[in-house]
Amino acid sequence: MDGMSFSEFGSVLIMQGFNGLSYFSVLLLMALGLAIIFGQMGVINMAHGEFLTIGAYTTYLLSVLSSTYAPWFESYYFIAAIIVGFGVAFVIGYLVEWLMIRHLYKRPLDSLLATWGLSLIMQQTFRSTFGPKEVSATLPAWLMGSYSPKEGLDIPLNGLFVMALTLALTSAVAAIMFYSRWGLRVRATTQNRAMAGAVGIDTAKIDRLTFALGCGIAGVAGAAFTTIGSTGPTSGSLYIVDTFLVVVFGGAQSLLGTIASAFSIAQTNSTLEFFMTGSIAKVITLATIIGILLLRPEGLFRLRVRK
Amino acid sequence: MNIITPSTASAAGAPAWRAWIPLAALALFILAVLPLCLDLFRLNLVGKYLTYAFVAIGLVLCWGYGGILSLGQGVFFGLGGYAMAMFLKLEASDPESTKIQSTPGIPDFMDWNQITALPALWEPFHSLAFTLLAIVLVPGLMAFVIGVAMFKRRVGGVYFAIMTQAFAAMLSILIIGQQGYTGGVNGITDLKTLNGWDIRTDHAKYVLYFLNAGLLLASVALGQVLLKTKFGKLLLALRDKEERVRFSGYDVAAFKVFIFTLAAVLSAVGGAMFTLQVGFMSPSFVGIVPSIEMVIFTAVGGRLSLVGAVYGSLAVNFGKSYFSESFPQLWLFLMGGLFIAVVMLFPNGLAGLADSVRGAWQKWQARKAGQMTARGAPRTPAPPEDEPAAPTALRVKGGAA
């Protein structure tokens, strides 16, 4: 790295750190919904990635619709897309829970297989509806370009936006889970289902809403995802293993753990990518996570739950 | 989950040889019926599907009976397959036939990737004996290490499934990324001879088909014998009430490690036979998707039936090749629907269906006999006691919770 001045090197470091933060945001956005569904409810939803894709395609549809029928709406459609993406994913998640998941709570391994089947069906539905090619939503003008505080340092605005959204969503989830009446019921149900039912909590309803909320969050993640990448039928499934690892690595029942593990995985991966090829960086990251989990199966943080 | 399995239930009170009828029927089917009815091309396809059946019967043992769902069986299938492919590739890359390369004597893909000497990892694969050992030992050792690390700490269920999935992801990324050492995404291709014996001739294909079928039948027989022993009973017991088995003084982790390792070794044998019959090995058999597909072969055949798993592998794969050729749009819908239907409606797969049909038939017979003599009716396994009853029981519990 000779010929590179100190300040240039500093810029590279900042940009690299920023890349890590972007990746962290994506991982965390994906993992938030899963932390609720898998962490709180113990359901493995292999179709979680497809709920992300639903959000992404919803955004794409809104982008196309607004540019065809309502050009004045083009700069605001994205805000609407986040809300609609949440709504669509929430409703579909609600239906999936009602039709499928609720019959499988006692058989977690089977719910894994059934939701994998669901993910295949959803992928093919996307492929038949939107075509096998990747599509991208037109970014509103205020998300394009970059912020450059000094020479040689460009921080893309869309990355900043995704980070802000991640921060907002994470705070919202934390607020709902820990400071609302509903969150209290969710936590009560997780910790002791029978007792929660005995004190009058409708645990079946709580399950359904929790699952739907997790899916809705994945929908928001999908909307955010369109600002940094294009959307294809299998976009969501690419991240599914990483996301599960984030949740498991963080300690399945801890929101803080999920955040910490998303951060460490993303930073490790992007730092390693700076020194070696992408695939080896990925392999080393995975191997490290697996190694740590073999030594410490409960993950980084562990919330004590009575079994 | 019911402790009485369909196969033992139907064999209850019957002579012991009755339990071997399904295996004998399977042997007749794959050793005589299929080779006589199909041309060589189709038979070779069957042979390929039967190599997946090795993975499927491994999963019957470790998932159906042991309760350990591994979503990384493709890793072991791939390790076995790659070990075999490395030996064959080295034999196909003798200096004579690779003299146009800039470095003769090394596999062609290494030459394309500017590698000038055979990597040390490849060196021992010049020896057939080493290769055969590696096919069994490498996956076995790997499964053993994973098993010890996980089961000794009582990690199981969904966590184990996710970990095995991460292994599958890691290995496939590694193989694809390290093109010069592994052949990358194309895999190891152009395999020609095994110790000088050309594996591409029609004769060789027949020989390999029967070798493969024989190994498979032997594995099914081994599994059946194993399940009949005390070990088999303990395996079932620990699947259903792990704590009770542990408190009875058994080392639960050791049983789990053993069955997981056995499943891995079976998968690896399947992988090696795949390479021999199909003539190549690629990362598309290692990753997460093929690993999960192999679970569905097992689920369709019946997770509690070793013989069923073989039929399951054949049925799903024939369905796949038929539908993905004729209706490519429909295939994923069908496959996805199959996953959901098998899990939600027929948890015991084809074998479970066959059992309920047989149960209904016996009941009908019994009723007919019962009209004549009320006491002499043969006892039939009551279908509600079998697995298919589980969802109803669960629904009741779920509603009450």
Side-chain angles (χ1 to χ4, degrees):
Chain A
M1 258 172 252
D2 42 18
M4 192 189 262
S5 76
F6 183 74
S7 95
E8 273 172 346
F9 185 66
S11 299
V12 169
L13 266 189
I14 293 176
M15 302 268 287
Q16 201 59 36
F18 186 83
N19 283 343
L21 281 180
S22 289
Y23 187 41
F24 160 63
S25 308
V26 174
L27 276 186
L28 184 55
L29 276 177
M30 277 283 286
L32 267 183
L34 209 63
I36 293 177
I37 293 174
F38 175 55
Q40 298 294 325
M41 306 169 71
V43 173
I44 296 208
N45 179 18
M46 293 299 285
H48 194 74
E50 276 60 45
F51 283 94
L52 178 128
T53 319
I54 285 179
Y57 274 123
T58 309
T59 313
Y60 166 71
L61 269 186
L62 277 183
S63 142
V64 172
L65 283 180
S66 67
S67 63
T68 338
Y69 298 107
W72 57 271
F73 193 57
E74 251 188 314
S75 37
Y76 310 107
Y77 88 88
F78 196 74
I79 306 294
I82 290 177
I83 298 164
V84 178
F86 178 86
V88 173
F90 184 92
V91 170
I92 296 178
Y94 192 91
L95 289 176
V96 167
E97 203 278 351
W98 183 62
L99 289 171
M100 227 167 91
I101 308 289
R102 71 188 170 118
H103 303 296
L104 300 171
Y105 281 127
K106 293 281 160 77
R107 297 188 284 159
L109 293 179
D110 285 3
S111 76
L112 192 157
L113 293 180
T115 50
W116 176 263
L118 178 70
S119 83
L120 292 183
I121 292 178
M122 285 168 87
Q123 278 175 26
Q124 188 56 44
T125 312
F126 299 143
R127 201 170 286 126
S128 310
T129 318
F130 298 97
K133 270 204 202 129
E134 301 212 325
V135 295
S136 21
T138 14
L139 281 184
W142 51 274
L143 275 178
M144 284 191 270
S146 61
Y147 165 70
S148 41
K150 67 182 178 120
E151 192 75 16
L153 184 61
D154 287 308
I155 294 181
L157 284 180
N158 53 3
L160 278 179
F161 173 78
V162 172
M163 270 178 223
L165 187 68
T166 309
L167 191 68
L169 202 62
T170 313
S171 322
V173 169
I176 290 175
M177 293 304 285
F178 295 102
Y179 296 102
S180 80
R181 201 76 197 158
W182 184 76
L184 186 69
R185 293 198 183 108
V186 172
R187 284 180 296 135
T189 310
T190 321
Q191 290 182 14
N192 194 329
R193 181 170 297 270
M195 189 57 80
V199 297
I201 295 173
D202 184 348
T203 53
K205 196 174 139 200
I206 288 286
D207 283 337
R208 198 157 307 153
L209 286 175
T210 314
F211 189 85
L213 178 75
C215 294
I217 292 173
V220 177
F225 194 71
T226 55
T227 65
I228 45 179
S230 49
T231 310
T234 55
S235 294
S237 62
L238 294 179
Y239 283 90
I240 191 76
V241 174
D242 291 11
T243 319
F244 270 113
L245 276 184
V246 166
V247 178
V248 172
F249 186 56
Q253 270 139 348
S254 156
L255 193 60
L256 190 65
T258 303
I259 299 170
S261 84
F263 184 79
S264 47
I265 291 175
Q267 289 298 345
T268 312
N269 200 33
S270 62
T271 312
L272 286 174
E273 262 177 3
F274 185 65
F275 295 106
M276 50 196 91
T277 61
S279 70
I280 282 291
K282 181 97 203 192
V283 168
I284 294 182
T285 314
L286 279 175
T288 315
I289 301 169
I290 292 173
I292 295 177
L293 280 177
L294 286 182
L295 296 173
R296 193 183 154 78
E298 68 272 25
L300 291 177
F301 292 78
R302 185 184 190 187
L303 202 74
R304 299 231 167 249
V305 173
R306 252 181 232 166
K307 293 257 154 128
Chain B
M1 296 277 175
N2 202 315
I3 298 211
I4 294 175
T5 63
S7 58
T8 53
S10 57
W17 57 266
R18 286 275 289 274
W20 296 93
I21 293 179
L23 179 59
L26 177 71
L28 189 70
F29 183 60
I30 62 176
L31 290 179
V33 177
L34 287 178
L36 289 174
C37 296
L38 299 176
D39 57 72
L40 185 61
F41 173 74
R42 294 272 162 195
L43 192 67
N44 192 236
L45 269 185
V46 173
K48 182 169 112 180
Y49 301 158
L50 288 180
T51 64
Y52 303 144
F54 281 93
V55 185
I57 61 174
L59 278 166
V60 168
L61 291 172
C62 93
W63 174 43
Y65 286 89
I68 307 161
L69 177 56
S70 162
L71 295 183
Q73 292 305 91
V75 167
F76 306 121
F77 186 83
L79 285 174
Y82 266 97
M84 189 43 110
M86 282 159 86
F87 173 78
L88 296 174
K89 186 70 193 172
L90 283 181
E91 204 176 293
S93 318
D94 59 292
E96 185 56 34
S97 48
T98 53
K99 60 178 183 288
I100 51 159
Q101 292 178 181
S102 45
T103 319
I106 63 170
D108 45 11
F109 59 83
M110 290 186 186
D111 198 58
W112 302 331
N113 285 286
Q114 283 89 39
I115 287 178
T116 51
L118 196 64
L121 180 69
W122 277 70
E123 213 52 74
F125 286 92
H126 279 296
S127 146
L128 181 61
F130 176 86
T131 306
L132 292 179
L133 274 179
I135 288 170
V136 176
L137 289 184
V138 172
L141 202 66
M142 189 166 165
F144 180 79
V145 171
I146 298 174
V148 168
M150 305 293 287
F151 300 134
K152 287 280 179 202
R153 288 157 204 274
R154 303 186 190 175
V155 174
V158 292
Y159 290 89
F160 185 77
I162 292 175
M163 291 290 277
T164 50
Q165 215 175 24
F167 268 104
M170 186 173 77
L171 193 69
S172 64
I173 295 172
L174 188 67
I175 291 174
I176 293 170
Q178 294 305 298
Q179 215 174 27
Y181 298 96
T182 60
V185 77
N186 298 321
I188 299 179
T189 52
D190 284 329
L191 306 174
K192 298 188 176 88
T193 54
L194 174 74
N195 247 10
W197 178 57
D198 196 329
I199 57 169
R200 293 162 300 173
T201 62
D202 286 359
H203 175 71
K205 283 190 169 155
Y206 274 115
V207 171
L208 287 170
Y209 174 83
F210 283 106
L211 175 66
N212 182 39
L215 279 173
L216 183 68
L217 292 168
S219 309
V220 174
L222 172 79
Q224 284 208 357
V225 170
L226 197 66
L227 290 175
K228 283 246 178 294
T229 61
K230 189 181 171 193
F231 172 80
K233 300 282 173 279
L234 277 166
L235 202 61
L236 262 182
L238 77 87
R239 181 196 70 189
D240 291 336
K241 282 278 180 290
E242 187 173 327
E243 294 298 313
R244 284 193 197 172
V245 179
R246 182 174 291 128
F247 294 153
S248 307
Y250 291 102
D251 185 354
V252 168
F255 288 102
K256 286 185 159 186
V257 170
F258 174 77
I259 203 71
F260 180 56
T261 309
L262 179 67
V265 170
L266 285 176
S267 309
V269 172
M273 289 311 297
F274 177 93
T275 305
L276 280 174
Q277 290 188 86
V278 185
F280 78 99
M281 189 70 212
S282 89
S284 59
F285 303 99
V286 174
I288 293 170
V289 175
S291 298
I292 295 187
E293 279 187 359
M294 290 168 186
V295 174
I296 204 65
F297 305 159
T298 313
V300 168
R303 66 181 77 168
L304 290 173
S305 167
L306 292 162
V307 173
V310 179
Y311 290 116
S313 311
L314 288 176
V316 176
N317 279 296
F318 268 113
K320 183 175 181 170
S321 64
Y322 173 72
F323 281 105
S324 56
E325 279 163 25
S326 322
F327 317 97
Q329 294 270 320
L330 270 181
W331 166 243
L332 276 181
F333 284 124
L334 270 174
M335 181 91 167
L338 192 65
F339 262 89
I340 297 173
V342 161
V343 166
M344 303 200 60
L345 306 174
F346 320 104
N348 272 338
L350 290 174
L353 277 182
D355 266 5
S356 5
V357 169
R358 193 161 55 223
W361 165 254
Q362 282 174 354
K363 209 171 200 175
W364 186 70
Q365 292 277 306
R367 193 176 302 144
K368 244 176 37 178
Q371 281 164 356
M372 290 177 279
T373 53
R375 282 181 56 224
R379 284 181 46 141
T380 56
E385 272 193 45
D386 280 327
E387 276 294 315
T392 11
L394 290 171
R395 206 172 298 132
V396 173
K397 274 186 211 159

